[in-house]
Amino acid sequence: MLHLRAVSAFTAGRRNIWRNARLTSDSRRRGLLTLAIETSCDDTSVAIVHKNDKSGAAKIHFLENITPDLTAYQGIHPVRALESHQQNVAKLVNKALSHLPYSSAESQNDPTKIVSLGDGNRQKPDFISVTRGPGMRSNLFAGLDTAKGLAVAWQVPFVGVHHMQAHLLTPRLVSALALSPGSSPNNTDRQNEKGELQPAFPFLSILASGGHTLLVNSSSLTDHRILATTTDVALGEALDKAAREILPSSLLSTSKNTMYGKLLEQYAFPNGRADYADYVAPKSRGDEIAVSKVVSKYGWSLTTPYAQTRELAFSFAFLATAVNHTLAKARKRAGETGLSDEERVFLAREVMRVTFEHLASRTIIALESLCQWVPLVPNNPNDKRQKPLPSSVPVSTLVVSGGVAANKFLMHVLRTWLDGRGFGHVGVVAPPISLCTDNAAMVGWAGIEMFEAGWRSAFEARALRKWGLEEGDESDGGEDGGQGILGVGGWQREGKE
């Protein structure tokens, strides 16, 4: 009998949650408010994000990240990262509550719409957003279980967000933020004449971080096709490893986190754009191949992967071997002192040039694959050769997201390659640095877009260590990968159980 009562209570509670989810017409007059949690790796992040339904403008009421000091491990330490989540996620949620907007006069006496705090009644979130995967499973559960607890306590739905989808949609969050009063939007941030957020679908994205390197064609909110992925290690991981070898120990010791790639950029280009303003991109595939293995004035070279092919794939594992080999040769040449400061800076620049050109090369090939092809010599039926017509490419925006998107030299390389290869009309956009790395604001925004599309997560939804971005994608392989965003269990549509 007790068991039946428990089941009955659970079912009634679940129906109440769906009833509240359907009673969104009131909330949509004021927009959508979500509390978001991100715990996929080592960053514990909580945010409160609001979207106004009338204007489409977004506002981040609260965003805070806590990252454990993992410098002693020179990389991610899973157990230490998990402990940090356990110590901090509830603390950040509690802190975020005081940043919820005050409730309106008409909802003051409605307990289903308010959160009572010591300083007054606050507006209850319409739903909870949380990263469900991919990531470290135990870490993901730290956030997911907290989100479920909030959803049950507040009797609101929750949305389990795909981490990479959140990165993909971050520029659309930036576009919505630019519509808020007091912001100073530029042309790439505004909504287009049809009222769509920018970038409008379809668009191309480079997701480059310490865990992923993907080139993705996004046709809609949930329809993403992976055009290229890394065959070995991610770009961010490769740069971090190279930085640990190249940077002077005195500089490495100043880092408060393990994102050494950022230090590498600062070391290589202390004057910013002035240090690479004279960079010239290869104008053709022939030029690209010619410079793929240029011997430096110091007698060493870094070979660009796949330079001789048009294979749509990335590879960055070569970098650690090449850098170690170069340093070994330098020590043999100059003794234990190894590289001079000048040669060390030059190596840092070459590491970024070669890897970023590899990224740019595959991006150009992908864009050409989307082009309409026309005869090389018009009106000549005997000429079987063809050339791409860049203006026919169906995408007008290249999004660069993930931690490596904060690198200004990368953005310069991509812009220069696009301009030089006939794709000058394709815009390049990246979120501000604060939104490039893992953060709960992007999770909240992805949750809002999914919630508006009618998607909710069931309470039985579990964390997914691997979760393919597209249907049939095995790049994330294993027991969880290959299903696409909607291909995993645990999704529900509004009004359906």
Side-chain angles (χ1 to χ4, degrees):
M1 180 67 78
L2 287 175
H3 174 70
L4 290 176
R5 286 175 182 168
V7 171
S8 176
F10 175 80
T11 304
R14 183 161 164 166
R15 284 174 181 158
N16 284 338
I17 291 177
W18 281 106
R19 183 198 65 197
N20 292 341
R22 289 192 286 269
L23 292 176
T24 54
S25 58
D26 290 339
S27 66
R28 283 177 180 172
R29 283 201 290 269
R30 53 171 168 72
L32 287 173
L33 183 71
T34 186
L35 185 147
I37 301 172
E38 152 64 20
T39 60
S40 63
C41 190
D42 59 332
D43 289 303
T44 308
S45 183
V46 173
I48 294 174
V49 184
H50 176 262
K51 182 187 177 186
N52 185 295
D53 260 15
K54 276 191 175 180
S55 66
K59 182 176 181 179
I60 299 173
H61 292 278
F62 175 84
L63 173 60
E64 189 168 323
N65 287 28
I66 295 179
T67 305
D69 184 356
L70 302 177
T71 52
Y73 311 102
Q74 292 195 331
I76 303 300
H77 190 284
V79 174
R80 182 66 192 93
L82 175 59
E83 291 172 347
S84 180
H85 293 315
Q86 292 168 336
Q87 292 164 357
N88 294 307
V89 67
K91 183 170 66 175
L92 283 183
V93 168
N94 190 53
K95 187 174 181 179
L97 295 183
S98 63
H99 294 266
L100 288 168
Y102 285 102
S103 59
S104 60
E106 60 268 25
S107 63
Q108 280 289 334
N109 297 319
D110 187 346
T112 67
K113 295 182 180 179
I114 61 173
V115 177
S116 295
L117 300 180
D119 62 346
N121 292 334
R122 303 280 180 157
Q123 182 181 324
K124 182 190 291 185
D126 297 297
F127 66 100
I128 310 299
S129 302
V130 61
T131 304
R132 185 184 175 190
M136 299 177 181
R137 197 191 302 273
S138 297
N139 296 13
L140 288 164
F141 269 119
L144 185 62
D145 288 343
T146 302
K148 289 180 181 181
L150 289 169
V152 170
W154 286 339
Q155 292 292 282
V156 297
F158 85 97
V159 177
V161 171
H162 192 296
H163 182 81
M164 303 314 293
Q165 181 197 29
H167 275 302
L168 285 167
L169 298 176
T170 301
R172 289 167 63 84
L173 166 61
V174 176
S175 173
L177 290 171
L179 296 172
S180 296
S183 65
S184 301
N186 57 44
N187 289 334
T188 61
D189 291 329
R190 295 182 185 275
Q191 289 178 309
N192 66 16
E193 58 188 15
K194 295 180 180 179
E196 296 174 313
L197 288 169
Q198 294 298 302
F201 297 105
F203 58 85
L204 210 62
S205 296
I206 294 173
L207 299 181
S209 67
H212 296 84
T213 309
L214 300 172
L215 183 61
V216 183
N217 185 18
S218 299
S219 301
S220 70
L221 178 63
T222 58
D223 184 8
H224 307 279
R225 184 163 65 95
I226 296 176
L227 303 180
T229 186
T230 178
T231 59
D232 36 59
V233 301
L235 174 56
E237 180 184 348
L239 290 175
D240 286 343
K241 287 181 177 178
R244 289 200 293 267
E245 300 297 328
I246 297 171
L247 296 176
S249 57
S250 58
L251 182 57
L252 275 175
S253 64
T254 66
S255 179
K256 298 187 184 302
N257 54 53
T258 58
M259 293 187 291
Y260 301 116
K262 181 179 179 181
L263 273 181
L264 189 70
E265 180 189 10
Q266 295 169 349
Y267 180 73
F269 305 112
N271 301 307
R273 186 182 179 87
D275 288 331
Y276 51 78
D278 58 349
Y279 170 80
V280 178
K283 298 296 183 184
S284 65
R285 275 286 294 158
D287 292 341
E288 187 182 325
I289 293 170
V291 301
S292 63
K293 190 175 182 180
V294 176
V295 178
S296 72
K297 61 183 178 181
Y298 301 102
W300 49 261
S301 62
L302 301 178
T303 304
T304 308
Y306 300 131
Q308 305 289 333
T309 76
R310 293 180 61 86
E311 184 176 352
L312 271 174
F314 301 119
S315 174
F316 301 103
F318 79 95
L319 199 57
T321 302
V323 168
N324 287 330
H325 182 66
T326 299
L327 292 172
K329 287 179 66 176
R331 280 191 286 269
K332 186 177 292 187
R333 184 181 70 234
E336 282 306 310
T337 56
L339 301 181
S340 65
D341 289 340
E342 179 188 82
E343 187 174 357
R344 202 175 286 272
V345 169
F346 187 83
L347 178 58
R349 292 183 176 183
E350 280 295 279
V351 160
M352 283 184 281
R353 180 191 67 79
V354 169
T355 53
F356 295 166
E357 287 190 346
H358 176 41
L359 208 60
S361 168
R362 303 304 103 173
T363 302
I364 294 296
I365 292 171
L367 285 169
E368 289 177 348
S369 72
L370 299 174
C371 283
Q372 173 187 343
W373 289 72
V374 297
L376 191 63
V377 179
N379 304 319
N380 183 353
N382 297 319
D383 188 357
K384 303 300 182 183
R385 298 172 300 167
Q386 290 186 318
K387 65 177 181 179
L389 188 63
S391 59
S392 69
V393 70
V395 299
S396 59
T397 304
L398 173 64
V399 169
V400 189
S401 196
V404 185
N407 192 299
K408 300 300 183 185
F409 180 52
L410 168 61
M411 301 300 289
H412 181 75
V413 168
L414 291 171
R415 180 71 272 163
T416 306
W417 275 65
L418 290 170
D419 290 344
R421 302 290 275 273
F423 294 98
H425 61 288
V426 176
V428 182
V429 299
I433 293 175
S434 62
L435 297 178
C436 280
T437 53
D438 294 349
N439 66 89
M442 71 178 191
V443 175
W445 178 258
I448 285 174
E449 292 220 42
M450 290 295 286
F451 191 86
E452 287 181 321
W455 293 105
R456 318 285 188 263
S457 294
F459 283 131
E460 57 265 31
R462 305 185 76 250
L464 299 174
R465 183 175 64 88
K466 296 180 181 294
W467 187 2
L469 188 60
E470 71 165 305
E471 186 177 353
D473 164 34
E474 297 300 335
S475 64
D476 270 339
E479 70 278 19
D480 297 327
Q483 303 94 331
I485 290 175
L486 297 178
V488 296
W491 284 115
Q492 295 176 329
R493 295 305 297 268
E494 182 179 3
K496 298 179 181 179
E497 295 190 35

